[in-house]
Amino acid sequence: MDFSQVIHRLLPIAGVALAVGLIVLGVVYLAYKVYRKMGGKRIITIWQFIASFSILGWLIIVMMLTTFSRGAHFDGWVNLELFSGYVSAWNQWSLSEFQLIIFNMLMFAPLGFLLPLLGMKTRRFKLVFIISLLVTLGIEAFQMVTGRGIFELDDLLHNTLGSLAGYGLMRAILDILKQKKISFKAIFSAVCIPLAFTLLFTGAFIIYSSKELGNLSVRPATSQKMNQVSVMLDTKLPDYGESAPLYRSHEIHNMEYGKQMASLMKDHFQLQQRGRISIDGFNRIWSLYDSTGKEYTFNYNVNSGNWWLARDQRSSSSMEPEILTEKGEAYVKWLSQHGLLPKNAEFSTQNEDTVRWDLHMTNADMITGQQDFDNGMIIIVPAAESLIPQELFYSMNKNAYIRSVDVESPAKAYEEILKGNFSIYNDLKAGDELIVKGYELTYTYDSKGYYQPVYQFEGTVNGAEWSTLIPAMKN
């Protein structure tokens, strides 16, 4: 989710928060008036009323965004690995992951910014820190109990730091107003936390840019706790490694390629774009429409290089075999014209409504070959009444041979499993039984489009099928 999507979700929530806040503010104000008429001596300033109202509205918005807008799908998940969010963002080199870290801080900045307006006591750093920590701890605990989120230590860190950053800004404003001059101390308190994270992310970008190869998303953000897990090896693992080719695809993690393909779709099918490009995980999404108002979505996945065009509302479009083949031939001319269809791709039809082209490269061919190759498939569901297909899925990558690289032995890669350094959907628990039954050398793309050799280990976890990928290249 990017910031534009967050704003889109905030708009209806903000209306609810405003309405509830006004009602509560009215009730509190009436109660305060009654209290004063009955001889109460405590005076509440207009700024305290505004700050209280704003904090209440902020809390409602945060609860809606982080809890009530989600289904109960997480079943008490807990992640106590500090900085695992940074490791995940680094391994995937994901803009969304980095944005999530920033958003979690910005989301709590209003709390720290408003607390000093409640009174002199809440202008103290220690009290703001405690309140911020307790509020985010309460939200995380509520998410865990209701199953509407994951209790994450990283969230506690980022939410609290975000609140302290807001507090630093307000304290700087109050100090400047009190002293009637700008001081270094006030400026430092306002910028120290944002500056630290700016330097952190800038340093990460510099290090990443200086590397030849990208990062591998198959590396886990957290390790499995293997001390009470039974691991059995039911295959032989050689203790020597060989060399393997390294390839690269320029269609992956290349927004220029994604924009080029989106422009091709818009120009050829005469589609118009509505709004900006949005981000959802690795997906970059264009909202399009044709001359009749039909809605389409173009999606480019930066992690795989795949892209697809799809009509938002599909209809049944079964066709006679000869008509389906005829439409396929028309698409062949168009795909070939733009260099999108390899000459040796195999054509076929399926389900009486789909044409496709396949080009499969086996692992053995990739490992022994030292030349460029294309690999993947193209699937098109034509529309009976329109040139624009109901769905066009393009998953054909051009892989350029780079050089041969040294590969670790299968036995060495297996040690990573024993250490728990592998990805698995549900974390292993005490008493689980993991059996490794086989392995093969295969390939996966890194975050710069390099096609790196990795080991795929297969077996079972408590009788259920299991597999994982372990990096194979020597450092």
Side-chain angles (χ1 to χ4, degrees):
M1 181 186 300
D2 63 3
F3 286 121
S4 64
Q5 291 174 305
V6 171
I7 297 300
H8 181 72
R9 288 180 59 183
L10 272 176
L11 291 178
I13 297 174
V16 174
L18 179 62
V20 173
L22 286 173
I23 293 172
V24 174
L25 182 64
V27 173
V28 172
Y29 181 75
L30 289 175
Y32 174 69
K33 284 292 187 181
V34 172
Y35 164 78
R36 290 287 292 169
K37 285 184 178 182
M38 293 178 63
K41 297 182 179 180
R42 183 178 181 84
I43 298 176
I44 301 178
T45 66
I46 185 63
W47 286 110
Q48 289 174 320
F49 267 114
I50 293 174
S52 300
F53 167 71
S54 300
I55 289 175
L56 176 62
W58 166 85
L59 183 60
I60 294 171
I61 290 174
V62 169
M63 291 301 294
M64 291 293 291
L65 276 176
T66 62
T67 305
F68 295 115
S69 62
R70 301 172 174 174
H73 306 306
F74 298 94
D75 193 25
W77 288 4
V78 176
N79 179 9
L80 299 179
E81 296 287 340
L82 192 60
F83 305 124
S84 61
Y86 295 87
V87 177
S88 177
W90 173 260
N91 289 343
Q92 300 181 61
W93 196 248
S94 168
L95 176 61
S96 296
E97 294 281 340
F98 285 116
Q99 282 187 342
L100 184 60
I101 292 173
I102 297 171
F103 174 69
N104 278 335
M105 295 179 64
L106 291 177
M107 183 170 59
F108 264 69
L111 177 62
F113 186 81
L114 294 168
L115 281 174
L117 298 179
L118 294 180
M120 296 305 296
K121 289 184 178 180
T122 55
R123 293 186 183 184
R124 300 172 183 172
F125 175 86
K126 184 177 181 180
L127 186 57
V128 171
F129 172 76
I130 293 174
I131 293 173
S132 302
L133 183 61
L134 290 177
V135 170
T136 185
L137 185 62
I139 293 174
E140 292 295 311
F142 186 79
Q143 287 180 334
M144 180 183 66
V145 172
T146 61
R148 292 177 178 269
I150 304 172
F151 186 103
E152 294 188 271
L153 206 55
D154 274 1
D155 284 351
L156 287 177
L157 172 67
H158 297 136
N159 294 162
T160 304
L161 285 176
S163 182
L164 293 179
Y167 166 77
L169 178 59
M170 177 55 76
R171 278 307 307 261
I173 294 173
L174 294 175
D175 289 347
I176 291 171
L177 291 176
K178 181 179 180 180
Q179 300 174 12
K180 295 183 179 181
K181 65 177 182 179
I182 299 176
S183 66
F184 174 79
K185 181 179 179 181
I187 296 298
F188 179 77
S189 67
V191 304
C192 61
I193 294 179
L195 180 61
F197 277 84
T198 299
L199 294 175
L200 174 66
F201 290 139
T202 300
F205 179 80
I206 292 173
I207 294 172
Y208 179 80
S209 300
S210 66
K211 300 194 318 172
E212 177 195 8
L213 303 182
N215 300 336
L216 284 172
S217 60
V218 300
R219 297 185 187 275
T222 59
S223 299
Q224 298 298 310
K225 296 177 174 57
M226 305 296 290
N227 55 334
Q228 297 185 54
V229 175
S230 172
V231 182
M232 296 178 58
L233 180 62
D234 192 18
T235 186
K236 292 183 178 180
L237 300 177
D239 56 3
Y240 59 89
E242 299 178 354
S243 63
L246 176 69
Y247 302 95
R248 189 179 189 184
S249 171
H250 290 282
E251 292 93 6
I252 295 177
H253 281 272
N254 184 350
M255 268 302 293
E256 290 305 313
Y257 169 74
K259 291 178 180 178
Q260 181 184 354
M261 293 299 101
S263 295
L264 178 61
M265 296 298 103
K266 290 189 289 185
D267 294 343
H268 184 74
F269 297 121
Q270 298 181 349
L271 298 172
Q272 300 296 318
Q273 183 173 339
R274 178 178 285 116
R276 300 168 54 192
I277 302 171
S278 61
I279 300 174
D280 184 9
F282 288 115
N283 297 313
R284 306 296 181 263
I285 304 167
W286 287 252
S287 294
L288 310 173
Y289 63 95
D290 66 11
S291 58
T292 66
K294 288 187 176 69
E295 301 282 343
Y296 293 81
T297 298
F298 179 86
N299 194 320
Y300 167 64
N301 185 289
V302 298
N303 198 44
S304 64
N306 299 341
W307 53 266
W308 56 94
L309 176 72
R311 183 191 294 180
D312 289 359
Q313 294 183 347
R314 288 185 51 178
S315 59
S316 177
S317 59
S318 296
M319 301 178 186
E320 295 296 328
E322 58 273 14
I323 297 177
L324 192 58
T325 300
E326 182 180 334
K327 285 187 173 288
E329 291 173 351
Y331 284 120
V332 165
K333 294 179 182 179
W334 171 68
L335 291 168
S336 300
Q337 178 185 353
H338 294 282
L340 297 175
L341 183 65
K343 293 181 179 179
N344 52 343
E346 297 180 359
F347 173 76
S348 63
T349 63
Q350 63 182 41
N351 302 330
E352 298 182 344
D353 67 349
T354 302
V355 293
R356 65 180 294 163
W357 296 263
D358 292 274
L359 191 59
H360 182 61
M361 189 79 164
T362 66
N363 286 336
D365 291 336
M366 287 187 285
I367 293 169
T368 57
Q370 295 187 352
Q371 59 185 0
D372 301 351
F373 71 93
D374 297 332
N375 191 40
M377 62 182 175
I378 307 170
I379 299 176
I380 299 179
V381 180
E385 77 288 355
S386 172
L387 173 66
I388 311 174
Q390 297 200 67
E391 184 175 344
L392 191 165
F393 177 72
Y394 191 90
S395 179
M396 191 73 71
N397 290 322
K398 302 178 185 297
N399 301 285
Y401 171 72
I402 304 299
R403 64 177 184 274
S404 291
V405 294
D406 293 331
V407 173
E408 296 281 7
S409 69
K412 183 71 173 179
Y414 173 70
E415 292 178 5
E416 296 302 306
I417 294 179
L418 297 178
K419 296 174 183 177
N421 295 331
F422 62 93
S423 296
I424 187 171
Y425 184 74
N426 289 317
D427 289 344
L428 296 176
K429 304 181 295 295
D432 284 347
E433 182 181 63
L434 170 62
I435 303 177
V436 178
K437 297 183 176 181
Y439 76 95
E440 69 172 334
L441 190 63
T442 183
Y443 279 81
T444 191
Y445 289 105
D446 68 19
S447 60
K448 289 187 177 180
Y450 284 94
Y451 211 26
Q452 291 196 30
V454 293
Y455 284 108
Q456 179 172 343
F457 287 91
E458 298 178 340
T460 60
V461 173
N462 300 329
E465 291 186 358
W466 161 88
S467 68
T468 194
L469 297 177
I470 301 294
M473 283 182 56
K474 289 186 176 179
N475 296 327

